[in-house]
Amino acid sequence: MDGTGDARGLLRERAAAVLRGNDAGGWTRAAPHLYPHQWSWDSAFIAIGWAHLDVGRALFELEQLFAAQWPSGLVPHVVFRAGPGEPYFPGPEWWDATRLAAPGLPVQTTGICQPPVHALALRRIWELTPQARRPQVRERIRALFPQLVKWHRYLATQRDPEASGLVTVYHPWEGTDNSPRWDRALARIEVAQPGPYTRLDASQLGDPSQRPTNWDYDRYLWLVGQLRKHRYDDAEIYREYPFLIKDVFFSAVLVAANAALLDLAGVAGASNADQGELARWMDRGREGLARCLDPESGLCADYDVRGGERIRLRTFAGFAPLFARTADTGQLAAQLRLLDSGDFCGDPRLRWRLLPSTSPAEPAFEPRNYWRGPVWPIINWLLSDSLTRLGRSGRAEELRRDSLAQIAADGEFAEYFEPFTGKPLGSPRQSWTAAVTLDWLARDDAGAAAQPG
Ligand code: 2M8
C-alpha cells in the first residue's frame, strides 16, 4: 500500500463504507448476496470494525448476536435475519434448530457454533472506548459479560466432556469449512444422501473452483440431518454422532478469549467464582494444546475422536499455541521459526509473507480454493494480535503491513486471497475484511511500534 496519509484515509473511508453498506440496522450481513445473515464469528470481527466508527454500534452487534444465545449457552453459527428477498442455502428449514433445542427464541438459528472470538471483540471495544463514554459502555459490558461466561462454559463442558482443555467440533461449518483437516473424517461417511438440494454459493460466486465441492456439501448437509435427528443434544451427539474432532484452533481461540474476559473482569465486576472458572479453563486449554504438539513437525495437531487418530497436516491451525498466546518461551520461539520456514510464510513464491490457510507444501494445498490454501485476513489479524500481545510486535507489524498492502492492492475487501499472486477471491465487500482493515489502519495512526519481534 502507498503509505501516505491520503491513501490510508481513503482505504479507511472505503472500509467504513463496506460496513455501512452491509449494515442491516443493528446487525451486519457477513457479505452482500453470498452471506446475507448474521454469522457468529463474523459478527465479533465486525464489532471490532464498528468500534472504530461508533462503540455503541459495536456493542449492539454483539448484543444482537447474544440475543440468539441458546439456553445451553451455545451461540449459534448463523442467526437467520435476512428477509425472503435475500436467499441463502441451507436456510433454517434444514436445521429446525430453534423448535428442537431453543424454543421461545425470537429468531431462527442454526444448531452449531463457531470460534469464540467474541471476548476478543469486547476487550477491543473497551480499549477503544473514549473516556467520556466509558460509564455507559461499562454498564453494557457488565450486562453482556455473564452471557459470554455462559458461552465459554458451554464450550468448556458440553464440548469437552473429557475435561481435556480441547473443544470438540461437530461440523466443518464450525469455522473453516473445507479445510483439509476434515478430509479423512468426512471420507469415513460413505453414504451421505441428504436429499435433493440446490446450492446457491457456487453460482453466486461464478467460480465453483473457489468453493467446497458437491461431495463436501453432501456430507455437510447429511451431518446437519444427523444433528437434527439428535435434537442438538450434546450428550446424545457425543454418544452416537459420527463427526467429532478436537479442534486445536478453536481451542486456542477459547484460551485467548478466556484471557480477554479475565482482562475485563474488573470492568465487568466479575465474581471471584467466574474469574476462578475462567482461569481454570484457560490453564486447562493451554495444557491440552501442549499435549497436541507433534514433536516431529513442531505443529499442533487436531484429534479425530471417532477415527481415534491425530490429524497431522500443515495448516494455519498448527500454530494454535500462538493463537492461544502461549506463555512457554521455548514453544513460542520454535513456533515462530516454523511460521517463517519454507513450509509457511517463508515460501519464496508467496506474494506477501502472510500465513496461508494451508501450507503450499501440503499435498492437499489448492491456492484458489477457500480454506485449502488462500490467505484469510481475519486469520492473519488473529495472529498479529496474538504476536503483539506476546511482545513480538516486530513480526506482528509486518503481518499488519503486508495484510494492508494485500487488501489495498485489491481495494474490494475480498473474503480471501490467492497466496502467490495476491489476487482477490471469494466474496467482495466481505464485512470482516473491512473490519480488520479498520483496526489495522487505526494501529497505524496510533503509530504502531515497529520494534524487532
Ligand atoms: C463461510 O461459511 C459459510 C457456512 O457457515 C458458507 O460457506 O456458506 C466460512 O468462511 C465461515 O467461517 C464464515 O463465518 C462464513 C461467513 O463469512 O462463511
Side-chain angles (χ1 to χ4, degrees), residues 35 39 41-42 77 88 114 173 175 177 211 370-371 430:
Y35 308 120
W39 259 260
W41 71 327
D42 297 62
H77 113 281
Y88 173 76
Q114 288 184 319
W173 279 334
D177 306 38
R211 294 284 306 177
Y370 217 35
W371 288 94
Q430 181 83 12

Side-chain angles (χ1 to χ4, degrees), residues 164-179:
S164 66
L166 301 168
V167 179
T168 310
V169 296
Y170 298 163
H171 200 286
W173 279 334
E174 296 206 305
T176 56
D177 306 38
N178 71 344
S179 171

Side-chain angles (χ1 to χ4, degrees), residues 103-340:
L105 213 65
V107 278
Q108 303 259 43
T109 72
T110 61
I112 54 172
C113 58
Q114 288 184 319
V117 283
H118 315 87
L120 308 185
L122 198 62
R123 180 178 56 193
R124 191 73 185 122
I125 291 171
W126 179 249
E127 284 168 0
L128 293 167
T129 302
Q131 208 59 40
R133 298 204 57 188
R134 288 208 152 186
Q136 299 152 287
V137 167
R138 183 195 302 270
E139 280 319 301
R140 287 170 72 181
I141 289 183
R142 282 184 177 224
L144 205 51
F145 193 86
Q147 285 183 270
L148 272 102
V149 175
K150 185 174 175 183
W151 163 222
H152 290 195
R153 185 175 295 117
Y154 166 76
L155 295 172
T157 56
Q158 303 297 309
R159 291 301 189 101
D160 186 19
E162 310 88 346
S164 66
L166 301 168
V167 179
T168 310
V169 296
Y170 298 163
H171 200 286
W173 279 334
E174 296 206 305
T176 56
D177 306 38
N178 71 344
S179 171
R181 297 155 72 201
W182 323 130
D183 286 0
R184 276 171 69 94
L186 288 177
R188 277 205 314 272
I189 303 169
E190 280 170 18
V191 184
Q193 289 165 345
Y197 65 90
T198 307
R199 288 175 66 174
L200 297 176
D201 59 321
S203 54
Q204 268 167 341
L205 205 60
D207 178 4
S209 73
Q210 295 178 33
R211 294 284 306 177
T213 62
N214 289 338
W215 182 93
D216 292 316
Y217 259 71
D218 280 351
R219 279 152 188 81
Y220 298 166
L221 294 166
W222 182 81
L223 285 172
V224 169
Q226 297 303 300
L227 290 168
R228 213 173 45 222
K229 195 177 91 188
H230 296 304
R231 301 177 318 282
Y232 305 97
D233 181 281
D234 293 286
E236 195 174 308
I237 289 168
Y238 234 81
R239 277 197 308 274
E240 296 171 27
Y241 177 78
F243 186 97
L244 299 178
I245 312 261
K246 291 287 182 190
D247 176 337
V248 291
F249 171 68
F250 202 123
S251 307
V253 171
L254 182 59
V255 171
N258 282 325
L261 286 191
L262 282 169
D263 286 347
L264 286 172
V267 178
S271 67
N272 285 342
D274 278 355
Q275 292 186 55
E277 244 185 327
L278 290 167
R280 266 197 306 283
W281 298 332
M282 190 174 69
D283 292 343
R284 201 158 75 189
R286 286 201 175 121
E287 287 159 19
L289 289 173
R291 282 194 301 275
C292 293
L293 259 188
D294 176 20
E296 224 167 280
S297 67
L299 292 169
C300 225
D302 303 300
Y303 181 73
D304 181 340
V305 177
R306 284 288 181 255
E309 62 182 14
R310 291 225 170 270
I311 303 173
R312 290 195 175 81
L313 285 176
R314 285 162 290 180
T315 74
F316 78 99
F319 296 99
L322 293 185
F323 291 109
R325 290 147 202 188
T326 175
D328 178 326
T329 44
Q331 227 179 72
L332 178 61
Q335 284 248 307
L336 283 169
R337 272 197 305 278
L338 262 175
L339 181 68
D340 285 322

Side-chain angles (χ1 to χ4, degrees), residues 8 13 62 111 147 187 205 303 311 362-363 365 418 423 440:
R8 285 199 305 272
E13 259 172 48
L62 291 179
Q147 285 183 270
L205 205 60
Y303 181 73
I311 303 173
E362 194 57 51
F365 172 77
E418 212 271 7
K423 285 270 154 48
W440 271 321

Side-chain angles (χ1 to χ4, degrees), residues 305-388:
V305 177
R306 284 288 181 255
E309 62 182 14
R310 291 225 170 270
I311 303 173
R312 290 195 175 81
L313 285 176
R314 285 162 290 180
T315 74
F316 78 99
F319 296 99
L322 293 185
F323 291 109
R325 290 147 202 188
T326 175
D328 178 326
T329 44
Q331 227 179 72
L332 178 61
Q335 284 248 307
L336 283 169
R337 272 197 305 278
L338 262 175
L339 181 68
D340 285 322
S341 71
D343 280 356
F344 290 98
C345 301
D347 184 320
R349 294 169 295 171
L350 293 186
R351 173 75 181 83
W352 281 284
R353 230 155 48 89
L354 294 168
L355 179 61
S357 46
T358 298
S359 161
E362 194 57 51
F365 172 77
E366 293 176 53
R368 293 171 58 80
N369 188 344
Y370 217 35
W371 288 94
R372 302 179 77 85
V375 171
W376 287 71
I378 51 126
I379 296 296
N380 281 275
W381 183 90
L382 282 173
L383 183 62
S384 68
D385 188 57
S386 291
L387 294 183
T388 304

